[in-house]
Amino acid sequence: MVVINLDPYPSPRPRFTRQGRPYMPKEYTAWKKKFLKEWLTYGLDKFDAGVALKVELIFFIKPPLAISKVKKNKQALEDETIIVVKKPDLDNLEKSVLDSINGHAYEDDNQISELSSKKRYSLNPRVEIEIREDI
């Protein structure tokens, strides 16, 4: 399991220039570069093209003050058991991570045959990712 100590960041919709060319916001591209840099520090080998992959993702998101200030939530936040049922959308979080490591962890994200993910509140925001061959 790889732990990336960055706040999870959802993939936004592309923006368009006046000429109609699409681009992604600077904050998003900067986050993807940071994520990839952290990923590369693990020195993991890239999966070969054509290998089916199983990916498990856990997004630990900083809780809003309304949750973190409540005393009865203290233990649940430490145990990281409070489920996030608000934005950001899980599919956008998945996309940002998978796009960040595309071409580095695997040849192309079309190799992913199974994907599971969840999001939880935590006082220690991060992304945990595990990639293995899907047999």
Side-chain angles (χ1 to χ4, degrees), residues 14-49:
R15 309 280 164 81
F16 294 89
T17 65
R18 290 182 188 156
Q19 294 78 28
R21 289 189 299 260
Y23 70 96
M24 295 305 270
K26 290 178 188 175
E27 299 84 12
Y28 175 65
T29 54
W31 183 90
K32 281 179 36 174
K33 285 179 185 174
K34 285 181 195 173
F35 193 93
L36 178 59
K37 184 178 179 183
E38 290 290 319
W39 175 268
L40 293 174
T41 63
Y42 282 88
L44 301 172
D45 291 332
K46 180 166 84 170
F47 286 93
D48 292 331

Side-chain angles (χ1 to χ4, degrees), residues 109-128:
D109 56 6
N110 65 10
Q111 293 175 244
I112 298 170
S113 59
E114 186 174 333
L115 176 63
S116 64
S117 58
K118 57 186 174 182
K119 54 184 181 174
R120 301 289 185 262
Y121 284 125
S122 173
L123 298 173
N124 177 25
R126 66 192 183 280
V127 178
E128 293 182 359

Side-chain angles (χ1 to χ4, degrees), residues 53-107:
L53 301 174
K54 180 178 185 173
V55 178
E56 294 179 28
L57 294 163
I58 307 174
F59 300 96
F60 294 96
I61 298 169
K62 185 177 178 180
L65 289 177
I67 291 175
S68 62
K69 292 248 181 197
V70 178
K71 280 188 179 183
K72 71 177 185 175
N73 291 337
K74 186 175 192 256
Q75 189 61 47
L77 283 171
E78 289 175 7
D79 296 340
E80 299 175 329
T81 57
I82 301 177
I83 297 169
V84 180
V85 292
K86 297 189 180 277
K87 289 188 181 253
D89 293 353
L90 192 56
D91 60 330
N92 292 332
L93 291 169
E94 292 170 345
K95 183 165 178 45
S96 62
V97 168
L98 298 177
D99 285 352
S100 296
I101 59 175
N102 196 24
H104 298 276
Y106 39 78
E107 195 63 37

